[in-house]
Amino acid sequence: MGISRSSRHKRSASGAQRAHYRKKRKFELGRQAASTRLGVKRIHPVRVRGGNLKHRALRLDSGNFAWGSEHVTRKTRIISVVYNASNNELVRTNTLVMGAIIQVDATPFRQWYEAHYALPVSKKGAKAAATEEKKEGEEKKRSNHAQRILTDRRKDAKIDNLLETQFGAGRLYAAISSRPGQVGRADGYILEGKELEFYLRKLRTGKQKHAQ
C-alpha cells in the first residue's frame, strides 16, 4: 500500500465508517519523510505535481543563519542537533527539521563582529586583542574618518551575556526555519533574548531528567 494523504479512510464526525466508493488517486499521494541528517551535502531532486521540483536534502552540513539583532547573515557549519520539541529521537539521530534547535560554528559571526566594530566579542578575546595591539603599536593607524565611523558604531555594540559565553565556547544556538526535505536547505536564525533563555531552560531540564 502506498502512502496516501486522503481522509476517506477516516470515520465521519458522528463515528460512522465512510463508504469505499473509489480507489486511491495520484493527487492524494504522500511520500516518505526525508529525515535529513548531518553529513556531507547530498540533495535529490523530486518531480512533483505540475512538473515542479522539490529538493529533498538527505544530508546537510551547513546553512545560512541570520543574527537578527545585528542584521547580518553568514553561512556557517552545523555542529549538532541539541533539542527538538516533537521527538528526542530526532536529537539522538541528528535529524535536521524545521524548528529544530541546533549548534552552529560561531567563527563567521565573530569575524564579522570584530571587523565591523574593531572590538573583541568575548572577554577572553579582549585580553588577546590588548596584547596584540601593544605588539603592533603604530601599525593599526586609522584615518579620522574611519575612527569616527567606528566610534559611532560602538555606541550600539552590546552583546547579551548568554551570547558572549557562547562566543567564548565557539558555538551558537540556532533554530532552523527552512524545510530541508522540501527546499534542500537548512537555513535559520541565531537564538537571542527570551527565546534563547526558554530553550536553555529546556536543555537544562532535559539533562536533569536523563541524569536521574
Side-chain angles (χ1 to χ4, degrees), residues 84-138:
N84 194 309
S86 62
N87 191 351
N88 283 333
E89 193 68 11
L90 301 178
V91 178
R92 189 184 67 80
T93 53
N94 273 333
T95 304
L96 303 172
V97 293
M98 183 178 171
I101 305 304
I102 59 173
Q103 278 190 322
V104 297
D105 186 14
T107 309
F109 297 100
R110 181 180 54 77
Q111 286 171 342
W112 173 85
Y113 186 93
E114 289 173 357
H116 187 71
Y117 293 111
L119 286 173
V121 177
S122 60
K123 287 170 186 173
K124 287 181 185 175
K127 290 175 185 174
T131 52
E132 274 180 30
E133 277 181 19
K134 284 177 185 175
K135 287 177 186 176
E136 289 173 10
E138 294 178 2

Side-chain angles (χ1 to χ4, degrees), residues 157-173:
K158 289 179 183 176
I159 290 187
D160 185 15
N161 289 334
L162 292 172
L163 266 182
E164 195 178 316
T165 53
Q166 287 176 52
F167 271 113
R171 296 175 172 209
L172 298 174
Y173 286 112

Side-chain angles (χ1 to χ4, degrees), residues 45-81:
V46 180
R47 194 267 187 195
V48 296
R49 190 167 165 86
N52 297 307
L53 275 182
K54 282 186 180 181
H55 301 282
R56 184 83 77 239
L58 304 176
R59 298 280 186 279
L60 286 174
D61 56 1
S62 63
N64 292 325
F65 290 88
W67 187 359
S69 62
E70 294 292 341
H71 308 289
V72 67
T73 302
R74 287 288 177 271
K75 184 178 181 180
T76 185
R77 185 172 58 92
I78 298 170
I79 297 168
S80 65
V81 179

